[in-house]
Amino acid sequence: ISIYPNPTNGVTNIDISAFQPNEIITIEVLSELGERLEILQVNHSSSSQQVVEMNIQNYATGIYYFKCSVPNGNSSIVKVLKS
């Protein structure tokens, strides 16, 4: 997956095009200590939905991890700098 802009000061775009259509994608925002701060489930029901927006504007400046996973256990983690 790719997340942009990175670093960000608010809205992030998560490119989910690497996942298969009809998969339910779980997106978690984790703190630097691994605490789950937010969770979002996206039904990637069509090939037209390629980007998901998440707003982290209210989060403190720092490092966060975005974990994207699917039911079969595959996952990907990307480090994001919030400025």
Side-chain angles (χ1 to χ4, degrees), residues 38-56:
E38 190 169 344
I39 189 165
L40 173 69
Q41 285 197 321
V42 177
N43 186 358
H44 189 206
S45 58
S46 70
S47 59
S48 64
Q49 183 184 12
Q50 300 297 316
V51 177
V52 175
E53 278 189 2
M54 284 193 84
N55 188 342
I56 63 169

Side-chain angles (χ1 to χ4, degrees), residues 10-25:
V11 175
T12 59
N13 297 293
I14 304 164
D15 183 342
I16 59 171
S17 62
F19 294 99
Q20 297 296 316
N22 300 318
E23 284 189 308
I24 296 175
I25 303 164

